[in-house]
Amino acid sequence: LERVSVPVPGRPYEVVVGAGVLDRIGELLPELPGAEVAFVVTDPAVADRVPALASGLEPRRLRAVPLPVPAGEEAKTLDVYRAVVQQLAAREAHRDDLVVALGGGAVGDLAGFAASTYMRGMPLAQVPTTLTGQVDAAIGGKTAVNLPEGKNLVGTFHQPRLVLADVETLATLPERHLRSGLAEVAKVALTLDPELLERLERDPVPVVARDPEALTWVVARCAAAKARVVAGDEREAGPRMVLNYGHTLGHAIERLEAYAGRTHGEAVAVGMEFAARLAVAHGLAAADLVGRTRRLLASLGLDPDGALPSVGAIEQALRLDKKFRGVVRFVLLAGVGRPVVVDDVPMTRVREVLLEMGAPP
Ligand SMILES: NC(=O)c1ccc[n+]([C@@H]2O[C@H](COP(=O)([O-])OP(=O)(O)OC[C@H]3O[C@@H](n4cnc5c(N)ncnc54)[C@H](O)[C@@H]3O)[C@@H](O)[C@H]2O)c1
Ligand SMILES: [Zn+2]
């Protein structure tokens, strides 16, 4: 069992990571005065985990009420949000009751949004069951649903009371989703945690093979890194911005592929290879950053090569990014563990690197 504290101002909370910790939720939750019911917003892929959660909540005299929602991204709509808050109303939820998000980042974002808005805010526990959820989405308090006009356009900040990451739940995660999460792990290793990077370089096998002990350690390291950023300690590169490493191009690719091509992590892997090349081209990093990045990604089963959209389409997509302010701002590495935010990369250099990576003009 690993415990990581997220020292946000006001109400710090813990990320607890371990194998088979689901049914220990009762002892790990902080005090929740007045809570009687735990509404468990559940992805169908992990519905079989509800009984373990329910028995863990019993000693706290919290009755578990499952609220099933569609799997994955389908859950992040205003319609599903409405169904969830109407269920809360129909079952006479009160503001002291608990909302539990049991599922991947999608369920976490949806349940978090419902918990933060129903009666102006209910306590929330995140129980992420994907690697992406455990290392990234469940920590930090961002909630959101999508609009037809774009992803994550409606949302709030609502910090959970507890994040409970049971690495045993990852046993059933489809390989592609595991790899997608491993891209976020690589991101943390390259930008914030050289020790994690070295360990992955030494022996990536146990992690890729989902050894519970290896996963517990890796998830806890990533959680700790995200906790530091979220708490605002990592100001050098601008808080939180560093978490966007590889994401500027990654998001552009996802959008251009209409979210039906590469997974988020696969797109971010390409984005990290691009960022490494750009850092070298920009005179920021030594040339070996590219090879080191590629070797790490390959060892985690990620392929930074593959067909890219055209340079013109990518350039246009970069300009449409919601973070675009006349210049494209990149998180680049001066070296591993040394992220810097750069907004003086000329578009010609961006184009050159994309061409070098095989993007058609
Ligand atoms: N709030 C944040 O800070 C933050 C950060 C990163 C990502 N996100 C959001 O998270 C979402 C992506 O999260 P994700 O990658 O976890 O995907 P996801 O929640 O869509 O889950 C991926 C798939 O795995 C299935 N699944 C979940 N747990 C499983 C398990 N244990 N075994 C088998 N199948 C399982 C789901 O049904 C789904 O089909 C996106 O909507 C993204 O915007 C939010
Ligand atoms: Zn990401």
Side-chain angles (χ1 to χ4, degrees):
L1 200 90
E2 300 267 353
R3 306 174 82 127
V4 172
S5 139
V6 188
V8 287
R11 191 159 38 216
Y13 56 95
E14 276 195 322
V15 183
V16 181
V17 191
V21 289
L22 268 195
D23 61 4
R24 291 176 63 182
I25 187 168
E27 67 185 83
L28 297 168
L29 271 173
E31 245 180 88
L32 296 168
E36 291 168 323
V37 182
F39 293 94
V40 186
V41 181
T42 308
D43 184 298
V46 289
D48 61 338
R49 303 288 181 167
V50 174
L53 263 188
S55 74
L57 290 165
E58 247 166 49
R60 293 288 295 267
R61 295 157 150 266
L62 279 165
R63 187 163 54 86
V65 172
L67 297 181
V69 294
E73 205 64 24
E74 299 279 295
K76 282 179 62 173
T77 66
L78 284 173
D79 284 340
V80 175
Y81 163 73
R82 176 212 282 265
V84 169
V85 289
Q86 285 194 316
Q87 277 291 320
L88 291 174
R91 290 164 191 267
E92 295 176 5
H94 55 77
R95 63 191 313 166
D96 298 327
D97 286 334
L98 178 68
V99 172
V100 179
L102 177 65
V107 162
D109 278 8
L110 166 81
F113 185 53
S116 80
T117 51
Y118 184 76
M119 290 194 172
R120 299 192 187 82
M122 300 170 69
L124 169 71
Q126 289 281 5
V127 184
T129 64
T130 61
L131 187 58
T132 302
Q134 297 187 352
V135 301
D136 189 1
I139 308 160
K142 280 206 220 173
T143 84
V145 293
N146 303 326
L147 295 180
E149 287 79 4
K151 278 196 66 167
N152 297 328
L153 289 182
V154 180
T156 57
F157 280 96
H158 189 61
Q159 300 290 348
R161 304 298 174 95
L162 170 70
V163 179
L164 185 57
D166 187 340
V167 296
E168 239 170 44
T169 63
L170 303 180
T172 54
L173 195 64
E175 196 60 38
R176 214 168 159 212
H177 288 294
L178 182 80
R179 283 203 302 271
S180 198
L182 286 171
E184 305 288 356
V185 171
K187 174 192 81 178
V188 172
L190 288 165
T191 55
L192 294 166
D193 191 344
E195 194 183 324
L196 171 60
L197 176 63
E198 277 154 32
R199 167 131 170 201
L200 291 171
E201 288 178 331
R202 227 179 304 128
D203 192 7
V205 175
V207 179
V208 176
R210 310 185 200 202
D211 170 67
E213 227 172 279
L215 282 175
T216 298
W217 191 80
V218 164
V219 170
R221 291 297 290 205
C222 291
K226 180 142 187 192
R228 288 197 303 276
V229 172
V230 164
D233 286 355
E234 222 79 51
R235 299 233 171 235
E236 277 169 303
R240 279 195 187 234
M241 178 82 193
V242 50
L243 299 171
N244 244 18
Y245 185 64
H247 282 57
T248 311
L249 180 65
H251 282 148
I253 292 173
E254 281 186 278
R255 255 201 319 278
L256 288 169
E257 295 177 344
Y259 301 97
R262 271 166 272 230
T263 63
H264 175 69
E266 287 163 352
V268 169
V270 179
M272 289 190 286
E273 154 119 20
F274 168 77
R277 286 174 182 266
L278 195 60
V280 174
H282 202 56
L284 208 60
D288 71 340
L289 180 65
V290 177
R292 206 168 170 189
T293 301
R294 288 179 63 86
R295 279 192 299 280
L296 175 68
L297 295 174
S299 75
L300 299 176
L302 289 154
D303 175 17
D305 298 318
L308 283 175
S310 75
V311 174
I314 290 173
E315 191 179 335
Q316 203 180 6
L318 289 175
R319 289 179 190 280
L320 284 175
D321 193 283
K322 63 181 172 216
K323 297 191 174 77
F324 183 77
R325 298 278 178 282
V327 289
V328 186
R329 186 172 257 208
F330 290 102
V331 181
L332 298 180
L333 295 180
V336 297
R338 292 163 61 206
V340 278
V341 177
V342 173
D343 48 20
D344 62 349
V345 181
M347 213 26 120
T348 48
R349 186 161 287 147
V350 171
R351 282 190 217 111
E352 273 163 28
V353 172
L354 288 170
L355 288 170
E356 183 188 298
M357 286 176 70

